[in-house]
Amino acid sequence: MTLNDLPLATALTIGLAIAYLLGSIPSAVWIGKSFYGIDVREKGSKNAGTTNTIRVLGLLPGLFVLAIDVFKGWLAVYFAKFFGSSLAEMNPDYLVYYQLVVGMFAVIGHALPVFAHFKGGKGVATMLGVVIGLFERIIPLVLAVFVVVFILTHYISASSMSAAISFPIFYATCSIWLHYDINTVQLCFSIIVALFIIWTHRKNIKRLINKQEPKFKFKKTVD
């Protein structure tokens, strides 16, 4: 039996489940426990993401976590092409919409991973993978915002939120500049992404306001 032989609803559901399971791979937790005997969720900011991994374990393991988490998001939307192939035959836009939902399931999996007692990261890297897979024309601009804000502030949280906020802005403006129609669903998705990233950084926002947010350093800073 092939994917094309499955009922459409079944194929779509399997795709969503795989996306969630991919997102649930707790790279920071597994790398920390397997190679260092440390659960990064118990040290530093207690977040299972790239930034805290670098603070607790160092730059190299942090880069591995970043690569894996980005790849999870990209792979989820890539697999969605196969599980949603019947949608593309109906209308190419339907497949894109399905990929957007699949991407969100991957991010939810990262934030609430079944393999790590539903205590994961903030979803920035996994969301980046989703955006790379679906918005390749926008991603260089979004990354540029991240880099510029980071150079100016040295705050990963501020850089992530600034990049997220720029995402829907760039999507709308580039649509005008490049003369292609704005897809309302994709625009709504970009806005949801921005709101989601801000929501997951709500504690960072409080620390930034109170001037208690630690600046990022490319080395281990937590014992």
PDB file of all heavy atoms in Angstrom, residues 135-164:
ATOM      1  N   PHE A 135       8.915  29.889   2.978  1.00  0.00           N
ATOM      2  CA  PHE A 135       9.018  31.303   2.627  1.00  0.00           C
ATOM      3  C   PHE A 135      10.463  31.648   2.287  1.00  0.00           C
ATOM      4  O   PHE A 135      11.072  32.525   2.894  1.00  0.00           O
ATOM      5  CB  PHE A 135       8.552  32.176   3.799  1.00  0.00           C
ATOM      6  CG  PHE A 135       7.115  31.983   4.186  1.00  0.00           C
ATOM      7  CD1 PHE A 135       6.746  30.990   5.083  1.00  0.00           C
ATOM      8  CD2 PHE A 135       6.115  32.790   3.659  1.00  0.00           C
ATOM      9  CE1 PHE A 135       5.430  30.811   5.462  1.00  0.00           C
ATOM     10  CE2 PHE A 135       4.792  32.618   4.026  1.00  0.00           C
ATOM     11  CZ  PHE A 135       4.436  31.624   4.928  1.00  0.00           C
ATOM     12  N   GLU A 136      11.017  30.944   1.296  1.00  0.00           N
ATOM     13  CA  GLU A 136      12.445  31.105   0.999  1.00  0.00           C
ATOM     14  C   GLU A 136      12.815  32.514   0.551  1.00  0.00           C
ATOM     15  O   GLU A 136      13.955  32.961   0.743  1.00  0.00           O
ATOM     16  CB  GLU A 136      12.891  30.090  -0.055  1.00  0.00           C
ATOM     17  CG  GLU A 136      12.278  30.256  -1.438  1.00  0.00           C
ATOM     18  CD  GLU A 136      10.894  29.613  -1.553  1.00  0.00           C
ATOM     19  OE1 GLU A 136      10.432  29.016  -0.569  1.00  0.00           O
ATOM     20  OE2 GLU A 136      10.280  29.748  -2.625  1.00  0.00           O
ATOM     21  N   ARG A 137      11.865  33.251  -0.027  1.00  0.00           N
ATOM     22  CA  ARG A 137      12.186  34.609  -0.472  1.00  0.00           C
ATOM     23  C   ARG A 137      12.265  35.599   0.687  1.00  0.00           C
ATOM     24  O   ARG A 137      12.896  36.647   0.576  1.00  0.00           O
ATOM     25  CB  ARG A 137      11.133  35.097  -1.480  1.00  0.00           C
ATOM     26  CG  ARG A 137      11.275  34.468  -2.852  1.00  0.00           C
ATOM     27  CD  ARG A 137      10.238  34.969  -3.822  1.00  0.00           C
ATOM     28  NE  ARG A 137       8.923  34.371  -3.557  1.00  0.00           N
ATOM     29  CZ  ARG A 137       7.894  34.442  -4.402  1.00  0.00           C
ATOM     30  NH1 ARG A 137       8.041  35.097  -5.542  1.00  0.00           N
ATOM     31  NH2 ARG A 137       6.744  33.880  -4.113  1.00  0.00           N
ATOM     32  N   ILE A 138      11.635  35.259   1.803  1.00  0.00           N
ATOM     33  CA  ILE A 138      11.573  36.174   2.941  1.00  0.00           C
ATOM     34  C   ILE A 138      12.688  35.911   3.948  1.00  0.00           C
ATOM     35  O   ILE A 138      13.166  36.837   4.605  1.00  0.00           O
ATOM     36  CB  ILE A 138      10.208  36.026   3.660  1.00  0.00           C
ATOM     37  CG1 ILE A 138       9.063  36.180   2.664  1.00  0.00           C
ATOM     38  CG2 ILE A 138      10.078  37.048   4.785  1.00  0.00           C
ATOM     39  CD1 ILE A 138       9.032  37.515   1.965  1.00  0.00           C
ATOM     40  N   ILE A 139      13.134  34.684   4.043  1.00  0.00           N
ATOM     41  CA  ILE A 139      14.033  34.290   5.131  1.00  0.00           C
ATOM     42  C   ILE A 139      15.337  35.085   5.181  1.00  0.00           C
ATOM     43  O   ILE A 139      15.811  35.413   6.285  1.00  0.00           O
ATOM     44  CB  ILE A 139      14.310  32.767   5.076  1.00  0.00           C
ATOM     45  CG1 ILE A 139      14.910  32.296   6.406  1.00  0.00           C
ATOM     46  CG2 ILE A 139      15.156  32.381   3.913  1.00  0.00           C
ATOM     47  CD1 ILE A 139      14.014  32.482   7.589  1.00  0.00           C
ATOM     48  N   PRO A 140      15.973  35.462   4.050  1.00  0.00           N
ATOM     49  CA  PRO A 140      17.209  36.257   4.169  1.00  0.00           C
ATOM     50  C   PRO A 140      16.976  37.602   4.862  1.00  0.00           C
ATOM     51  O   PRO A 140      17.821  38.057   5.645  1.00  0.00           O
ATOM     52  CB  PRO A 140      17.653  36.456   2.715  1.00  0.00           C
ATOM     53  CG  PRO A 140      17.032  35.324   1.971  1.00  0.00           C
ATOM     54  CD  PRO A 140      15.702  35.110   2.633  1.00  0.00           C
ATOM     55  N   LEU A 141      15.832  38.217   4.608  1.00  0.00           N
ATOM     56  CA  LEU A 141      15.521  39.501   5.227  1.00  0.00           C
ATOM     57  C   LEU A 141      15.264  39.345   6.722  1.00  0.00           C
ATOM     58  O   LEU A 141      15.712  40.150   7.538  1.00  0.00           O
ATOM     59  CB  LEU A 141      14.293  40.122   4.543  1.00  0.00           C
ATOM     60  CG  LEU A 141      14.443  40.438   3.052  1.00  0.00           C
ATOM     61  CD1 LEU A 141      13.100  40.876   2.472  1.00  0.00           C
ATOM     62  CD2 LEU A 141      15.498  41.507   2.833  1.00  0.00           C
ATOM     63  N   VAL A 142      14.532  38.281   7.071  1.00  0.00           N
ATOM     64  CA  VAL A 142      14.237  38.017   8.484  1.00  0.00           C
ATOM     65  C   VAL A 142      15.529  37.740   9.249  1.00  0.00           C
ATOM     66  O   VAL A 142      15.734  38.247  10.356  1.00  0.00           O
ATOM     67  CB  VAL A 142      13.257  36.840   8.616  1.00  0.00           C
ATOM     68  CG1 VAL A 142      13.061  36.465  10.083  1.00  0.00           C
ATOM     69  CG2 VAL A 142      11.911  37.188   7.970  1.00  0.00           C
ATOM     70  N   LEU A 143      16.399  36.938   8.663  1.00  0.00           N
ATOM     71  CA  LEU A 143      17.683  36.639   9.308  1.00  0.00           C
ATOM     72  C   LEU A 143      18.542  37.895   9.442  1.00  0.00           C
ATOM     73  O   LEU A 143      19.268  38.062  10.431  1.00  0.00           O
ATOM     74  CB  LEU A 143      18.435  35.569   8.513  1.00  0.00           C
ATOM     75  CG  LEU A 143      17.855  34.155   8.580  1.00  0.00           C
ATOM     76  CD1 LEU A 143      18.635  33.214   7.667  1.00  0.00           C
ATOM     77  CD2 LEU A 143      17.877  33.633  10.007  1.00  0.00           C
ATOM     78  N   ALA A 144      18.451  38.779   8.457  1.00  0.00           N
ATOM     79  CA  ALA A 144      19.212  40.030   8.520  1.00  0.00           C
ATOM     80  C   ALA A 144      18.764  40.873   9.713  1.00  0.00           C
ATOM     81  O   ALA A 144      19.593  41.479  10.404  1.00  0.00           O
ATOM     82  CB  ALA A 144      19.045  40.816   7.217  1.00  0.00           C
ATOM     83  N   VAL A 145      17.465  40.908   9.950  1.00  0.00           N
ATOM     84  CA  VAL A 145      16.937  41.638  11.112  1.00  0.00           C
ATOM     85  C   VAL A 145      17.490  41.029  12.394  1.00  0.00           C
ATOM     86  O   VAL A 145      17.930  41.744  13.299  1.00  0.00           O
ATOM     87  CB  VAL A 145      15.395  41.616  11.127  1.00  0.00           C
ATOM     88  CG1 VAL A 145      14.859  42.159  12.451  1.00  0.00           C
ATOM     89  CG2 VAL A 145      14.844  42.435   9.966  1.00  0.00           C
ATOM     90  N   PHE A 146      17.473  39.702  12.476  1.00  0.00           N
ATOM     91  CA  PHE A 146      18.003  39.022  13.664  1.00  0.00           C
ATOM     92  C   PHE A 146      19.453  39.419  13.905  1.00  0.00           C
ATOM     93  O   PHE A 146      19.836  39.764  15.032  1.00  0.00           O
ATOM     94  CB  PHE A 146      17.890  37.508  13.490  1.00  0.00           C
ATOM     95  CG  PHE A 146      18.425  36.722  14.656  1.00  0.00           C
ATOM     96  CD1 PHE A 146      17.576  36.311  15.673  1.00  0.00           C
ATOM     97  CD2 PHE A 146      19.776  36.399  14.744  1.00  0.00           C
ATOM     98  CE1 PHE A 146      18.065  35.599  16.767  1.00  0.00           C
ATOM     99  CE2 PHE A 146      20.281  35.690  15.825  1.00  0.00           C
ATOM    100  CZ  PHE A 146      19.416  35.285  16.833  1.00  0.00           C
ATOM    101  N   VAL A 147      20.261  39.356  12.869  1.00  0.00           N
ATOM    102  CA  VAL A 147      21.699  39.640  12.998  1.00  0.00           C
ATOM    103  C   VAL A 147      21.935  41.082  13.414  1.00  0.00           C
ATOM    104  O   VAL A 147      22.744  41.362  14.313  1.00  0.00           O
ATOM    105  CB  VAL A 147      22.432  39.328  11.677  1.00  0.00           C
ATOM    106  CG1 VAL A 147      23.870  39.830  11.738  1.00  0.00           C
ATOM    107  CG2 VAL A 147      22.397  37.829  11.400  1.00  0.00           C
ATOM    108  N   VAL A 148      21.233  42.022  12.779  1.00  0.00           N
ATOM    109  CA  VAL A 148      21.426  43.438  13.090  1.00  0.00           C
ATOM    110  C   VAL A 148      21.052  43.741  14.539  1.00  0.00           C
ATOM    111  O   VAL A 148      21.800  44.411  15.267  1.00  0.00           O
ATOM    112  CB  VAL A 148      20.601  44.331  12.131  1.00  0.00           C
ATOM    113  CG1 VAL A 148      20.597  45.780  12.617  1.00  0.00           C
ATOM    114  CG2 VAL A 148      21.161  44.247  10.717  1.00  0.00           C
ATOM    115  N   VAL A 149      19.894  43.231  14.970  1.00  0.00           N
ATOM    116  CA  VAL A 149      19.457  43.481  16.353  1.00  0.00           C
ATOM    117  C   VAL A 149      20.415  42.826  17.340  1.00  0.00           C
ATOM    118  O   VAL A 149      20.737  43.399  18.385  1.00  0.00           O
ATOM    119  CB  VAL A 149      18.016  42.964  16.575  1.00  0.00           C
ATOM    120  CG1 VAL A 149      17.614  43.107  18.046  1.00  0.00           C
ATOM    121  CG2 VAL A 149      17.041  43.732  15.689  1.00  0.00           C
ATOM    122  N   PHE A 150      20.902  41.632  17.003  1.00  0.00           N
ATOM    123  CA  PHE A 150      21.847  40.962  17.898  1.00  0.00           C
ATOM    124  C   PHE A 150      23.154  41.746  18.019  1.00  0.00           C
ATOM    125  O   PHE A 150      23.703  41.907  19.117  1.00  0.00           O
ATOM    126  CB  PHE A 150      22.141  39.545  17.422  1.00  0.00           C
ATOM    127  CG  PHE A 150      23.159  38.843  18.266  1.00  0.00           C
ATOM    128  CD1 PHE A 150      22.828  38.374  19.527  1.00  0.00           C
ATOM    129  CD2 PHE A 150      24.463  38.685  17.815  1.00  0.00           C
ATOM    130  CE1 PHE A 150      23.775  37.748  20.323  1.00  0.00           C
ATOM    131  CE2 PHE A 150      25.414  38.060  18.605  1.00  0.00           C
ATOM    132  CZ  PHE A 150      25.074  37.589  19.863  1.00  0.00           C
ATOM    133  N   ILE A 151      23.656  42.246  16.901  1.00  0.00           N
ATOM    134  CA  ILE A 151      24.894  43.034  16.926  1.00  0.00           C
ATOM    135  C   ILE A 151      24.721  44.286  17.784  1.00  0.00           C
ATOM    136  O   ILE A 151      25.626  44.679  18.534  1.00  0.00           O
ATOM    137  CB  ILE A 151      25.319  43.414  15.492  1.00  0.00           C
ATOM    138  CG1 ILE A 151      25.786  42.166  14.732  1.00  0.00           C
ATOM    139  CG2 ILE A 151      26.432  44.458  15.509  1.00  0.00           C
ATOM    140  CD1 ILE A 151      26.080  42.411  13.273  1.00  0.00           C
ATOM    141  N   LEU A 152      23.550  44.889  17.703  1.00  0.00           N
ATOM    142  CA  LEU A 152      23.287  46.120  18.449  1.00  0.00           C
ATOM    143  C   LEU A 152      23.023  45.879  19.927  1.00  0.00           C
ATOM    144  O   LEU A 152      23.388  46.710  20.770  1.00  0.00           O
ATOM    145  CB  LEU A 152      22.090  46.854  17.830  1.00  0.00           C
ATOM    146  CG  LEU A 152      22.285  47.409  16.417  1.00  0.00           C
ATOM    147  CD1 LEU A 152      20.986  48.005  15.896  1.00  0.00           C
ATOM    148  CD2 LEU A 152      23.394  48.459  16.393  1.00  0.00           C
ATOM    149  N   THR A 153      22.396  44.738  20.268  1.00  0.00           N
ATOM    150  CA  THR A 153      21.959  44.532  21.652  1.00  0.00           C
ATOM    151  C   THR A 153      22.629  43.364  22.368  1.00  0.00           C
ATOM    152  O   THR A 153      22.719  43.364  23.590  1.00  0.00           O
ATOM    153  CB  THR A 153      20.442  44.283  21.700  1.00  0.00           C
ATOM    154  OG1 THR A 153      20.151  43.024  21.068  1.00  0.00           O
ATOM    155  CG2 THR A 153      19.688  45.391  20.988  1.00  0.00           C
ATOM    156  N   HIS A 154      23.047  42.348  21.612  1.00  0.00           N
ATOM    157  CA  HIS A 154      23.591  41.095  22.178  1.00  0.00           C
ATOM    158  C   HIS A 154      22.546  40.316  22.977  1.00  0.00           C
ATOM    159  O   HIS A 154      22.909  39.486  23.807  1.00  0.00           O
ATOM    160  CB  HIS A 154      24.828  41.371  23.043  1.00  0.00           C
ATOM    161  CG  HIS A 154      25.979  41.921  22.273  1.00  0.00           C
ATOM    162  ND1 HIS A 154      26.730  41.159  21.404  1.00  0.00           N
ATOM    163  CD2 HIS A 154      26.492  43.174  22.209  1.00  0.00           C
ATOM    164  CE1 HIS A 154      27.672  41.910  20.852  1.00  0.00           C
ATOM    165  NE2 HIS A 154      27.543  43.133  21.312  1.00  0.00           N
ATOM    166  N   TYR A 155      21.266  40.579  22.703  1.00  0.00           N
ATOM    167  CA  TYR A 155      20.183  39.830  23.324  1.00  0.00           C
ATOM    168  C   TYR A 155      19.568  38.890  22.281  1.00  0.00           C
ATOM    169  O   TYR A 155      19.006  39.353  21.286  1.00  0.00           O
ATOM    170  CB  TYR A 155      19.086  40.745  23.857  1.00  0.00           C
ATOM    171  CG  TYR A 155      19.463  41.575  25.050  1.00  0.00           C
ATOM    172  CD1 TYR A 155      19.352  42.966  25.007  1.00  0.00           C
ATOM    173  CD2 TYR A 155      19.910  40.982  26.234  1.00  0.00           C
ATOM    174  CE1 TYR A 155      19.683  43.745  26.118  1.00  0.00           C
ATOM    175  CE2 TYR A 155      20.247  41.750  27.345  1.00  0.00           C
ATOM    176  CZ  TYR A 155      20.138  43.129  27.275  1.00  0.00           C
ATOM    177  OH  TYR A 155      20.474  43.891  28.369  1.00  0.00           O
ATOM    178  N   ILE A 156      19.658  37.584  22.510  1.00  0.00           N
ATOM    179  CA  ILE A 156      19.043  36.628  21.590  1.00  0.00           C
ATOM    180  C   ILE A 156      17.522  36.787  21.602  1.00  0.00           C
ATOM    181  O   ILE A 156      16.865  36.712  20.558  1.00  0.00           O
ATOM    182  CB  ILE A 156      19.421  35.191  21.978  1.00  0.00           C
ATOM    183  CG1 ILE A 156      20.894  34.928  21.672  1.00  0.00           C
ATOM    184  CG2 ILE A 156      18.552  34.183  21.232  1.00  0.00           C
ATOM    185  CD1 ILE A 156      21.233  34.891  20.197  1.00  0.00           C
ATOM    186  N   SER A 157      16.958  37.019  22.772  1.00  0.00           N
ATOM    187  CA  SER A 157      15.505  37.151  22.885  1.00  0.00           C
ATOM    188  C   SER A 157      14.998  38.340  22.065  1.00  0.00           C
ATOM    189  O   SER A 157      14.019  38.218  21.309  1.00  0.00           O
ATOM    190  CB  SER A 157      15.098  37.307  24.350  1.00  0.00           C
ATOM    191  OG  SER A 157      15.763  38.406  24.948  1.00  0.00           O
ATOM    192  N   ALA A 158      15.637  39.480  22.209  1.00  0.00           N
ATOM    193  CA  ALA A 158      15.224  40.664  21.454  1.00  0.00           C
ATOM    194  C   ALA A 158      15.404  40.454  19.956  1.00  0.00           C
ATOM    195  O   ALA A 158      14.569  40.880  19.147  1.00  0.00           O
ATOM    196  CB  ALA A 158      16.025  41.883  21.915  1.00  0.00           C
ATOM    197  N   SER A 159      16.476  39.767  19.587  1.00  0.00           N
ATOM    198  CA  SER A 159      16.733  39.488  18.175  1.00  0.00           C
ATOM    199  C   SER A 159      15.672  38.564  17.602  1.00  0.00           C
ATOM    200  O   SER A 159      15.179  38.779  16.487  1.00  0.00           O
ATOM    201  CB  SER A 159      18.119  38.852  18.017  1.00  0.00           C
ATOM    202  OG  SER A 159      19.123  39.672  18.570  1.00  0.00           O
ATOM    203  N   SER A 160      15.309  37.524  18.370  1.00  0.00           N
ATOM    204  CA  SER A 160      14.298  36.573  17.908  1.00  0.00           C
ATOM    205  C   SER A 160      12.946  37.248  17.735  1.00  0.00           C
ATOM    206  O   SER A 160      12.250  37.040  16.728  1.00  0.00           O
ATOM    207  CB  SER A 160      14.169  35.421  18.903  1.00  0.00           C
ATOM    208  OG  SER A 160      15.392  34.719  19.020  1.00  0.00           O
ATOM    209  N   MET A 161      12.551  38.064  18.710  1.00  0.00           N
ATOM    210  CA  MET A 161      11.261  38.736  18.625  1.00  0.00           C
ATOM    211  C   MET A 161      11.237  39.761  17.496  1.00  0.00           C
ATOM    212  O   MET A 161      10.230  39.898  16.790  1.00  0.00           O
ATOM    213  CB  MET A 161      10.923  39.386  19.961  1.00  0.00           C
ATOM    214  CG  MET A 161      10.562  38.387  21.045  1.00  0.00           C
ATOM    215  SD  MET A 161       9.994  39.156  22.585  1.00  0.00           S
ATOM    216  CE  MET A 161      11.556  39.780  23.239  1.00  0.00           C
ATOM    217  N   SER A 162      12.334  40.465  17.306  1.00  0.00           N
ATOM    218  CA  SER A 162      12.396  41.454  16.221  1.00  0.00           C
ATOM    219  C   SER A 162      12.284  40.765  14.866  1.00  0.00           C
ATOM    220  O   SER A 162      11.568  41.244  13.970  1.00  0.00           O
ATOM    221  CB  SER A 162      13.718  42.227  16.304  1.00  0.00           C
ATOM    222  OG  SER A 162      13.809  42.950  17.509  1.00  0.00           O
ATOM    223  N   ALA A 163      12.971  39.644  14.715  1.00  0.00           N
ATOM    224  CA  ALA A 163      12.901  38.898  13.459  1.00  0.00           C
ATOM    225  C   ALA A 163      11.487  38.382  13.230  1.00  0.00           C
ATOM    226  O   ALA A 163      10.965  38.441  12.105  1.00  0.00           O
ATOM    227  CB  ALA A 163      13.893  37.741  13.488  1.00  0.00           C
ATOM    228  N   ALA A 164      10.848  37.893  14.295  1.00  0.00           N
ATOM    229  CA  ALA A 164       9.482  37.371  14.173  1.00  0.00           C
ATOM    230  C   ALA A 164       8.508  38.479  13.767  1.00  0.00           C
ATOM    231  O   ALA A 164       7.641  38.272  12.905  1.00  0.00           O
ATOM    232  CB  ALA A 164       9.048  36.747  15.494  1.00  0.00           C
TER     233      ALA A 164
END
